[in-house]
Amino acid sequence: MMASLELAKARLTNFAVNEAAGISPLYELLATHAKDDDEVAALLAAAPENFAHGTLFFAAAQRLVQAEPWIELANYYLTMGGSFGPDERVWPLFRQFVLGRADKMRELISTRTTQTNEVRRVATMFPAIAQAAKQAKGPIGLLEVGTSAGLLLGVDRYGYRYSTEAGEQINAGPTKTPLVLTCAVSGQPLPKLPKKLAVAAKVGLDRRPIDLRDEEELAWLEACVWADQPERSRRLRVAAEMQEKDRPTLVTGDAVDGLADAAAQVPAELPLVVLTSHVLPYLADERRQEFVAALASLAATRPLWWVSQEHYLAAMTYLVPGRTDFEDSFREIRGVLALVRWESGKPDARLLGRTGAHGQTLTWL
């Protein structure tokens, strides 16, 4: 079912208030205007209900700006070399631009999905993946569900620098690497983190996986990066270049129905670590429960861990119900980091931390 105008406006409102606010001044300003503009908001109504989100709307707009980098609006897109901050002129320019290309906007919004392959998110997942690897006592196989281009599967090749509230720095991962991911940590002390993670297989599952060798696909991935966050764009490019020497196996399929076939691509002798990061909110509640059940079925056939970085109400509520103290993460677009292992058919789920939407913060519990 396609999104209604009312739903589109509600999603833009949520994006302005709970996602962009305090993080992206440009998108906060544009979304604040767009949510009250029926003509502009109606463009987002071209998307199916599950995918009608502000991130998709602004990705479509940025993809069209990429195609016309000489226009005045491009000056506000720092990811494209612009240098202007949001001011009173940007909304009229943006409105004129998207409405003047309404057919192209609707085509992108109706045929594309948000592919936010934010590499930095793996910085908040690394401590949990390292715990799973330690418990596995040997090389592991990774399967990322909702993988997009599979950049999070490069977890073993990135470096990590965690800054504590006391001003200390904790370094992990390989020391010689083109990409070091930074993260501010708080809460309880992090467990000891390894310099090396032994990963013997990497598989990604997605409804529409992205091949980074395709320039058009890479351009869409870049369009999904928020336009006033050039550092995210830089990380994406570096990670994409690193993947050229370490390509994962990408499988086209549904998160539930395609899970077993994708897992079969990881050699059976390897302990399987399944990763999800801000994927499950795109599934209906029934499908989320089916996903958890599918993981349990897989765990009956081989050693399996699930590293989940999802909103509590989209994931851990099914395994650790009643934790109302984590329910705010859904509204605030924060993740709950969890590690789940099945023992004799029963899940052992541990909530490890709260994470920032783009991997910028980790509160260890």
Side-chain angles (χ1 to χ4, degrees), residues 13-77:
T13 299
N14 180 71
F15 182 82
V17 175
N18 294 322
E19 297 186 50
I23 297 176
S24 172
L26 176 62
Y27 279 6
E28 180 183 6
L29 184 151
L30 294 177
T32 298
H33 284 286
K35 68 181 177 61
D36 296 324
D37 189 310
D38 285 4
E39 284 187 88
V40 174
L43 297 174
L44 183 56
E49 285 186 354
N50 283 354
F51 299 104
H53 294 278
T55 46
L56 176 61
F57 176 79
F58 287 107
Q62 183 166 197
R63 182 66 191 96
L64 296 181
V65 175
Q66 288 174 346
E68 301 179 51
W70 56 84
I71 63 172
E72 188 175 0
L73 180 62
N75 291 320
Y76 295 88
Y77 281 67

Side-chain angles (χ1 to χ4, degrees), residues 6-341:
E6 291 71 22
L7 178 63
K9 294 176 73 172
R11 294 281 174 79
L12 287 168
T13 299
N14 180 71
F15 182 82
V17 175
N18 294 322
E19 297 186 50
I23 297 176
S24 172
L26 176 62
Y27 279 6
E28 180 183 6
L29 184 151
L30 294 177
T32 298
H33 284 286
K35 68 181 177 61
D36 296 324
D37 189 310
D38 285 4
E39 284 187 88
V40 174
L43 297 174
L44 183 56
E49 285 186 354
N50 283 354
F51 299 104
H53 294 278
T55 46
L56 176 61
F57 176 79
F58 287 107
Q62 183 166 197
R63 182 66 191 96
L64 296 181
V65 175
Q66 288 174 346
E68 301 179 51
W70 56 84
I71 63 172
E72 188 175 0
L73 180 62
N75 291 320
Y76 295 88
Y77 281 67
L78 307 189
T79 51
M80 296 174 55
S83 59
F84 290 10
D87 56 27
E88 70 281 354
R89 298 180 64 248
V90 66
W91 167 248
L93 286 171
F94 181 85
R95 185 179 191 276
Q96 181 183 33
F97 179 80
V98 296
L99 291 180
R101 295 152 184 80
D103 288 344
K104 292 181 179 180
M105 283 287 292
R106 281 189 285 265
E107 180 183 0
L108 285 170
I109 288 171
S110 63
T111 59
R112 287 286 191 172
T113 58
T114 302
Q115 297 275 13
T116 308
N117 217 154
E118 173 49 61
V119 186
R120 196 182 191 184
R121 283 177 177 168
V122 83
T124 48
M125 301 178 77
F126 180 75
I129 297 171
Q131 283 196 13
K134 183 178 180 180
Q135 293 173 15
K137 299 179 180 179
I140 59 174
L142 296 178
L143 168 58
E144 185 191 4
V145 178
T147 194
S148 186
L151 295 182
L152 299 192
L153 292 168
V155 56
D156 58 322
R157 302 189 64 213
Y158 308 140
Y160 304 91
R161 182 177 300 124
Y162 300 93
S163 302
T164 71
E165 292 177 300
E168 300 174 347
Q169 287 193 348
I170 301 169
N171 296 307
T175 54
K176 294 183 179 180
T177 174
L179 184 58
V180 176
L181 303 174
T182 60
C183 178
V185 296
S186 58
Q188 298 299 312
L190 286 176
K192 186 176 180 180
L193 300 176
K195 295 293 184 184
K196 183 178 180 180
L197 195 64
V199 178
K202 300 177 180 182
V203 177
L205 173 65
D206 201 283
R207 293 174 66 252
R208 186 175 178 175
I210 286 183
D211 185 346
L212 292 176
R213 292 168 292 188
D214 185 324
E215 281 297 322
E216 176 59 32
E217 293 297 291
L218 179 57
W220 175 250
L221 206 60
E222 290 183 313
C224 290
V225 174
W226 294 7
D228 54 358
Q229 299 180 349
E231 182 60 23
R232 288 178 60 194
S233 185
R234 185 197 70 82
R235 286 194 295 267
L236 170 62
R237 276 286 178 177
V238 174
E241 291 174 3
M242 292 176 68
Q243 194 191 82
E244 292 180 5
K245 298 180 180 179
D246 183 31
R247 294 197 180 279
T249 299
L250 299 183
V251 179
T252 301
D254 177 78
V256 179
D257 301 331
L259 185 65
D261 288 343
Q265 299 294 314
V266 177
E269 67 271 15
L270 290 176
L272 180 63
V273 179
V274 177
L275 313 178
T276 65
S277 179
H278 296 277
V279 170
L280 298 187
Y282 290 96
L283 302 183
D285 178 74
E286 181 181 356
R287 293 297 277 172
R288 294 173 196 159
Q289 296 185 57
E290 290 172 353
F291 175 72
V292 175
L295 286 176
S297 296
L298 265 181
T301 66
R302 64 191 300 175
L304 184 147
W305 288 257
W306 175 24
V307 176
S308 168
Q309 183 168 237
E310 303 284 351
H311 308 315
Y312 170 78
L313 292 175
M316 287 303 110
T317 187
Y318 307 115
L319 296 174
V320 189
R323 292 297 301 269
T324 56
D325 50 324
F326 285 100
E327 291 183 4
D328 65 334
S329 68
F330 197 87
R331 177 177 57 82
E332 297 178 6
I333 321 299
R334 289 191 293 168
V336 173
L337 180 67
L339 179 62
V340 185
R341 182 182 184 182

